[in-house]
Amino acid sequence: MTKRLRIDGERLVRRIAEFATIGGTAAGGVNRQAFSMEDREARGKLADLALSRGLKVTQDQAANLFIAFPGREHEKPVLIGSHLDSQPSGGRFDGALGSLAAFEVIETIADAGLDYSLPIELVIWSNEEGSRYAPGTMGSRAFADGSLPKDIETLKDGEGKPLSSEIAATLAALPEVSVVGLGKPIAAYLELHIEQGPILEAENVEIGAVSSIQGTRWFDVRIQGETGHAGTTPLTSRRDALATLIQSLAELQATIMPRDADARFTVGRIAVEPASINAIPAVATANIDIRHPSTEYLDTIEELLQSTLNKYARSNGCTAHLDRIFDMPPAEFDPEIVSCIEEAAIELGFSVKRMVSGAFHDALSVQPLAPSAMIFVPCRNGISHNEKEFVEPVNCVAGAATLLQSTLNAITKIARLHETEVQTGNQKKMGTAL
Ligand code: HGY
Ligand code: MN
Ligand code: MN
């Protein structure tokens, strides 16, 4: 279909360094939280780069950003992309690598003058992280559901800013970019991302062909006790909410992960009220993140959360509430697209292995809509969601080259399937015509 296209690795590495300055932190990470000024600046920078090349830029009501070759609106594109929002104390590659590599693919095709023959479109999903406004993968889920989050008017961040006004301000920050409806037909989806774990580096493998993603659940915990005087209230009269939370979390930390190597249990946030040094905590809250490849095991962990909180709430005269605020079941990616990735890596001379993703990604939201899969590259010591996150330039370039070739392979495979459909008249598994 096309002579061997080669991405411009220098341009990609330079772009990653440029975008890392947007929300850049003194320790070399980024703080570019969803719908923040920094997120808007990064979206705007990419939109300007695209517009200056004559590409078509649109954004939907969830502030997902799309970049396409003009004149191809009538087709079902192969969508490639990732996210630009970050953790509050995040790394410069999580999301940004996949986003900028996707743009590098678009630019490489445009530079080669092939942009009118390839139905490829770039997406920057909004609020993948879910740290400022839970849950994560908010933009891609809105795209897949065709609707905005139900609590968009009531959900507020830590400073009391409503999600609705922050999304509106993000859209308004790009007045030259038209706002389109949520969702559209796509032929396939590919996402490049850093592994955020230690496997590829430990096994010295250059490319991960991600075949599935483990499940994730998030919870709000609220323990209700009674405040009182720190000096005069004896133990027998205390209804200490924080004591209940600490005893529960200590037991859960000591059981969940030690019991099962695949289980993940993380408490990322806790808070107390009235938060006074000499007043017994009346309320203790926490956010819990659990992960596992098996839905049944996630159910087991959730039951253990509930029973453990209830046990210590009873013994401390408190009440405990556990609310599930995010549930991302485990999912398999499309084997044909996974093969496109493996074939691309081998064609390019990279070592490659199939693997499960420990992190969730926007590809999870998209995979029910169209054949999807992900490409991983190693990151130093498997560190991510940390300002020390680092990916060697050679691995950034290998990932982007594999994204380009995988996308071309997917287009060829989908076109071939379409031809077969036309000849035999029956609908095949992997997506439909472009
Ligand atoms: O939390 C996650 O798994 C993703 O990296 N945001
Ligand atoms: Mn990410
Ligand atoms: Mn992340």
Side-chain angles (χ1 to χ4, degrees):
M1 166 192 278
T2 51
K3 63 181 176 31
R4 166 76 72 208
L5 289 171
R6 300 179 69 83
I7 61 138
D8 180 338
E10 300 244 307
R11 177 168 62 185
L12 173 64
V13 172
R14 194 172 58 246
R15 282 266 161 72
I16 292 170
E18 286 167 11
F19 275 74
T21 63
I22 304 174
T25 63
V30 289
N31 177 5
R32 198 165 55 219
Q33 298 182 63
F35 313 122
S36 63
M37 296 300 284
E38 296 79 11
D39 189 21
R40 292 171 203 161
E41 186 186 341
R43 292 172 83 256
K45 182 178 177 68
L46 192 62
D48 289 347
L49 286 168
L51 291 168
S52 65
R53 293 197 69 121
L55 294 167
K56 186 170 176 349
V57 184
T58 54
Q59 53 186 341
D60 67 19
Q61 291 109 323
N64 296 311
L65 190 70
F66 299 91
I67 295 173
F69 296 121
R72 306 196 64 105
E73 292 78 356
H74 64 287
E75 289 173 323
K76 288 170 68 174
V78 172
L79 203 54
I80 59 175
S82 191
H83 63 96
L84 282 174
D85 68 297
S86 81
Q87 286 283 319
S89 180
R92 54 176 57 192
F93 298 90
D94 177 358
L97 172 61
S99 300
L100 297 173
F103 189 62
E104 177 55 37
V105 166
I106 296 282
E107 287 202 291
T108 300
I109 290 168
D111 290 345
L114 289 169
D115 39 359
Y116 293 94
S117 62
L118 294 170
I120 298 175
E121 189 164 342
L122 179 148
V123 62
I124 304 295
W125 300 113
S126 66
N127 192 18
E128 185 278 341
E129 294 292 353
S131 176
R132 183 184 179 201
Y133 292 105
T137 65
M138 187 180 278
S140 55
R141 286 164 82 109
F143 177 87
D145 298 345
S147 60
L148 290 167
K150 290 179 190 48
D151 56 358
I152 186 169
E153 296 299 341
T154 53
L155 188 58
K156 292 182 170 53
D157 70 354
E159 292 167 12
K161 289 184 181 171
L163 172 61
S164 54
S165 60
E166 289 298 276
I167 290 181
T170 301
L171 294 174
L174 283 179
E176 70 281 22
V177 173
S178 56
V179 179
V180 297
L182 283 167
K184 61 185 171 186
I186 60 173
Y189 176 70
L190 287 115
E191 179 171 354
L192 167 65
H193 204 286
I194 62 172
E195 179 198 338
Q196 299 181 295
I199 298 167
L200 290 175
E201 185 186 56
E203 297 181 16
N204 199 21
V205 173
E206 292 160 300
I207 296 294
V210 184
S211 54
S212 62
I213 294 193
Q214 68 177 345
T216 300
R217 288 182 193 168
W218 286 358
F219 301 88
D220 277 341
V221 175
R222 182 181 174 83
I223 314 283
Q224 181 69 50
E226 184 177 56
T227 191
H229 196 292
T232 59
T233 313
L235 180 59
T236 50
S237 314
R238 290 187 176 218
R239 293 173 52 219
D240 186 330
L242 183 58
T244 301
L245 182 63
I246 289 171
Q247 290 158 12
S248 302
L249 297 185
E251 184 166 305
L252 292 166
Q253 291 281 8
T255 42
I256 294 174
M257 290 181 71
R259 191 181 285 173
D260 180 300
D262 288 332
R264 299 289 181 269
F265 170 79
T266 308
V267 181
R269 260 194 287 250
I270 70 170
V272 293
E273 296 165 19
S276 162
I277 189 168
N278 49 358
I280 298 166
V283 176
T285 58
N287 284 138
I288 295 180
D289 174 319
I290 62 172
R291 315 259 175 136
H292 200 277
S294 134
T295 299
E296 293 69 32
Y297 204 90
L298 282 170
D299 291 341
T300 304
I301 297 174
E302 185 168 345
E303 283 154 23
L304 188 62
L305 298 184
Q306 188 68 75
S307 60
T308 306
L309 287 163
N310 288 344
K311 175 173 71 175
Y312 287 104
R314 262 194 312 278
S315 66
N316 287 301
C318 296
T319 53
H321 299 278
L322 177 71
D323 292 316
R324 190 199 292 176
I325 59 171
F326 183 42
D327 181 9
M328 181 82 88
E332 297 291 320
F333 286 132
D334 184 281
E336 295 282 348
I337 302 287
V338 178
S339 305
C340 288
I341 294 167
E342 286 173 318
E343 288 152 16
I346 292 161
E347 279 167 59
L348 293 166
F350 298 132
S351 51
V352 58
K353 72 169 281 175
R354 288 199 177 206
M355 60 192 298
V356 178
S357 173
F360 63 70
H361 296 284
D362 292 304
L364 263 174
S365 305
V366 184
Q367 59 89 17
L369 307 177
S372 305
M374 293 185 73
I375 301 162
F376 275 177
V377 291
C379 51
R380 186 177 288 165
N381 302 325
I383 290 174
S384 182
H385 285 196
N386 180 315
E387 293 169 296
K388 286 190 287 189
E389 179 185 279
F390 184 77
V391 180
E392 297 295 343
V394 66
N395 293 119
C396 293
V397 174
T402 305
L403 177 64
L404 170 59
Q405 194 54 49
S406 307
T407 306
L408 297 177
N409 291 353
I411 289 172
T412 305
K413 207 169 258 192
I414 292 168
R416 208 174 288 147
L417 271 172
H418 179 51
E419 277 159 31
T420 317
E421 279 162 24
V422 170
Q423 286 151 16
T424 57
N426 66 350
Q427 192 78 6
K428 281 271 187 219
K429 182 186 172 310
M430 185 189 152
T432 50
L434 290 178

